[in-house]
Amino acid sequence: MALPDIPRLYTALAECLAVLLFTPGLVARFSRRATAAITLVWAVVLSVFLGLTDNVPGPFWIPCMVTAIGLSYLYLWGTWSITLLEAGYHCARAFIVAEFAASIEWQFHCYLWPSRSPVHPLSLVLLGVVYGVVFGVLSGLQHKLPQPTEHLQISGSAALTAVMLALTAFAVSNLGFLPGSEINMSVFSIRTLVDFSGVLVLAVQHEQLRENALHNELAAMDKVLHRQYEQYKRSKEGVKLINRRYHELKLQLAIIRQEQDQAKQNAALEAIEENIRQYEAENKTGNPVLDTILTAKTMECQQENINITCVADGRMLGFLTIRELCTIVGVALDNAIAAARAQPDPEKRLVKVAVYAQGGFVMLRFEHYTETPPELGPDGLPLQDPDLKSLRTAAQQHGGSMTLHWENNWCTLRILFPLPENK
């Protein structure tokens, strides 16, 4: 028995759901309300177009499908902050997923009740169940896997490969629908299997791109971590030498005081000794690693004529490893110092550091004065300092968070960690 083909409105619904399946990881060009309105208009236009072209002659079927794909492509590129190549890549994936979903749903429909109307209540229930399972499973798999912090950068070769794979799967799956062919369950089964194979192949390609992106991010973060740790080790040796030199200087001052008894010289010597004593106590936070990092950064600020103030209780940071602490504090201070260094007025080269407990959490706050707000990327981090991504990753690994805020010419970086129960 010849069987009817998939209703175009079923196809339109599948294409809309497939496109929306891949948009949660993208950044919208417009506000949420405007994006929702554009999405609604696109879905209505696509559905109306496919509905009006339901019974077009065979030669016009391919141009209609190309037009429908073009509408989805323009929606992706115009509504979301992606390139033309990325829009083509996501459109190819969405198209083959929609073909598979519509094919398997209609195969069930024709197997259960081939003569029943597509708008019959039972037909609509079957449509909701099958589409719900297909897109629900795909959405769950997509959100279960770890995703890069940024959307994938799609190369020309990757986009072309995805488009060619989708077109090949679509062409092969529809060979049984050429003019003169009898549409039966075997043809439907072949179409469903070929579309499913296309979904799998494109999923494997996307998985490779995702793993490559994650590997590159991990390599970049490891590079930052290693650089900060090496800097910490050099600073540790340098601070030891400086402290030894200060101890020797104190002994020399004691000898000079015994030999020289003039009042002015004694006053000057007392002032020098007081400065040394103040320096020694400046970065005693209770955490030797934090002491070393802050001392080294303080010396750097003194050389750059930057005024840095620090109030920190390092005893609460014992749950962080040396490398994690070096990365977090080192990168955050490097970012603040670089911004302060750019201020032409030395009086405005200000950096503040604070580490304190707050309601079962430990807060690390780094502030610096800047009259120019930082240019933020889609991930909310400064474009000029990608190393800050490693801070967000380190915070998330301990169940914490990181935020960046600019207000009244002060840029504030906050890192919040939940305190372990034994702290």
Side-chain angles (χ1 to χ4, degrees):
M1 181 181 67
L3 299 173
D5 200 4
I6 305 172
R8 301 301 289 272
L9 292 180
Y10 280 27
T11 302
L13 178 60
E15 292 188 6
C16 292
L17 293 175
V19 170
L20 296 178
L21 178 67
F22 301 114
T23 55
L26 305 178
V27 178
R29 297 183 186 271
F30 311 103
S31 66
R32 181 175 300 179
R33 180 174 298 179
T35 301
I38 295 173
T39 301
L40 180 61
V41 171
W42 159 74
V44 171
V45 171
L46 180 62
S47 300
V48 170
F49 173 77
L50 289 177
L52 294 176
T53 58
D54 192 7
N55 297 316
V56 296
F60 295 98
W61 180 73
I62 292 181
C64 289
M65 292 300 299
V66 172
T67 302
I69 297 172
L71 290 174
S72 298
Y73 177 79
L74 291 176
Y75 164 76
L76 284 169
W77 176 69
T79 310
W80 306 93
S81 298
I82 55 178
T83 64
L84 292 172
L85 289 177
E86 293 168 344
Y89 173 80
H90 293 301
C91 188
R93 295 182 65 206
F95 173 69
I96 201 63
V97 167
E99 285 293 307
F100 167 68
S103 177
I104 192 172
E105 192 283 333
W106 193 244
Q107 185 174 352
F108 278 120
H109 177 95
C110 292
Y111 178 79
L112 295 174
W113 39 66
S115 60
R116 182 163 290 169
S117 170
V119 296
H120 189 277
L122 288 179
S123 300
L124 297 178
V125 170
L126 178 64
L127 175 69
V129 171
V130 175
Y131 278 14
V133 171
V134 171
F135 290 105
V137 170
L138 292 177
S139 178
L141 291 175
Q142 182 170 300
H143 289 86
K144 185 177 181 180
L145 296 173
Q147 300 296 326
T149 56
E150 295 183 346
H151 68 270
L152 293 177
Q153 301 294 327
I154 307 300
S155 63
S157 60
L160 180 60
T161 300
V163 171
M164 294 305 298
L165 288 172
L167 291 178
T168 301
F170 175 72
V172 173
S173 66
N174 286 275
L175 287 178
F177 296 87
L178 293 175
S181 302
E182 181 182 357
I183 302 178
N184 51 43
M185 289 301 297
S186 297
V187 174
F188 283 173
S189 298
I190 293 174
R191 177 172 62 180
T192 301
L193 288 175
V194 173
D195 287 339
F196 181 66
S197 300
V199 172
L200 288 180
V201 172
L202 288 175
V204 170
Q205 182 201 23
H206 184 74
E207 180 67 13
Q208 291 177 341
L209 294 175
R210 185 188 64 84
E211 288 184 354
N212 290 337
L214 288 173
H215 176 76
N216 293 335
E217 286 189 358
L218 289 175
M221 288 187 291
D222 185 69
K223 184 178 179 181
V224 173
L225 186 150
H226 181 73
R227 184 175 69 246
Q228 292 294 334
Y229 182 65
E230 291 298 323
Q231 183 178 353
Y232 159 73
K233 291 193 296 183
R234 292 193 298 268
S235 300
K236 186 176 181 180
E237 296 299 324
V239 169
K240 286 182 179 179
L241 294 175
I242 292 173
N243 288 336
R244 187 181 305 124
R245 176 56 182 161
Y246 279 142
H247 181 69
E248 295 174 354
L249 183 59
K250 288 171 63 178
L251 295 178
Q252 294 175 3
L253 289 174
I255 297 175
I256 293 174
R257 179 177 286 109
Q258 293 177 358
E259 296 179 352
Q260 303 290 336
D261 195 22
Q262 298 180 7
K264 292 184 178 180
Q265 290 179 342
N266 285 338
L269 292 173
E270 289 176 359
I272 294 175
E273 189 174 6
E274 178 62 27
N275 289 334
I276 295 174
R277 189 180 304 111
Q278 181 181 358
Y279 176 82
E280 289 178 337
E282 186 175 359
N283 292 313
K284 300 298 183 181
T285 66
N287 187 307
V289 177
L290 184 61
D291 293 346
T292 300
I293 299 172
L294 291 177
T295 300
K297 298 301 181 183
T298 300
M299 294 171 56
E300 181 179 350
C301 289
Q302 290 174 350
Q303 295 175 355
E304 300 285 348
N305 197 20
I306 297 173
N307 183 11
I308 181 172
T309 57
C310 177
V311 179
D313 185 356
R315 295 171 297 177
M316 296 180 294
L317 301 178
F319 61 93
L320 296 174
T321 66
I322 294 178
R323 289 181 178 271
E324 289 174 336
L325 191 55
C326 291
T327 301
I328 293 171
V329 180
V331 171
L333 280 176
D334 285 346
N335 174 68
I337 292 172
R341 186 187 299 117
Q343 296 297 319
D345 187 357
E347 297 296 329
K348 296 181 179 180
R349 296 176 183 174
L350 306 173
V351 175
K352 299 179 181 179
V353 181
V355 180
Y356 54 92
Q358 181 177 344
F361 293 83
V362 55
M363 172 73 76
L364 290 84
R365 192 177 73 238
F366 304 88
E367 302 176 72
H368 64 269
Y369 183 89
T370 176
E371 298 177 351
T372 304
E375 184 180 358
L376 303 181
D379 56 359
L381 299 179
L383 295 175
Q384 66 274 16
D385 196 347
D387 289 348
L388 288 180
K389 296 177 184 178
S390 59
L391 273 66
R392 174 174 290 175
T393 301
Q396 292 174 347
Q397 288 176 346
H398 288 273
S401 62
M402 189 195 80
T403 59
L404 187 68
H405 180 66
W406 183 86
E407 185 178 5
N408 297 328
N409 295 337
W410 280 95
C411 186
T412 304
L413 176 67
R414 294 184 178 92
I415 304 173
L416 192 66
F417 289 106
L419 279 171
E421 294 182 358
N422 59 345
K423 292 295 179 183

